[in-house]
Amino acid sequence: MKFIQYIKDSFEELGTNMTWISKEDAQKTTVTVAVFTILFALAVAGIDYVFQTGLDNFFKLF
């Protein structure tokens, strides 16, 4: 029964003691994170392409 009480207390704390950001702020933050994640993924893919091309050209010499 301790576990059930823990769950009840957790939900009560989430509802009463937490300060939640507004929906608009959450959306803005989510979009910002998504954009930077995409940009970072593209940068990593670009670096990977450059290294792969360089290694392919290097091994063609032998």
Side-chain angles (χ1 to χ4, degrees):
M1 289 311 225
K2 284 184 174 183
F3 181 72
I4 293 172
Q5 187 61 41
Y6 172 77
I7 297 297
K8 287 179 182 179
D9 291 344
S10 296
F11 276 103
E12 181 182 343
E13 184 173 350
L14 286 172
T16 58
N17 296 340
M18 295 294 296
T19 303
W20 297 96
I21 61 174
S22 68
K23 184 176 180 179
E24 293 80 21
D25 286 342
Q27 288 174 338
K28 288 178 187 177
T29 304
T30 301
V31 169
T32 302
V33 168
V35 167
F36 279 105
T37 300
I38 291 169
L39 290 175
F40 185 73
L42 290 173
V44 169
I47 292 169
D48 179 58
Y49 177 77
V50 168
F51 277 110
Q52 186 64 44
T53 304
L55 285 174
D56 286 343
N57 290 334
F58 175 75
F59 286 119
K60 283 181 185 178
L61 295 174
F62 298 105

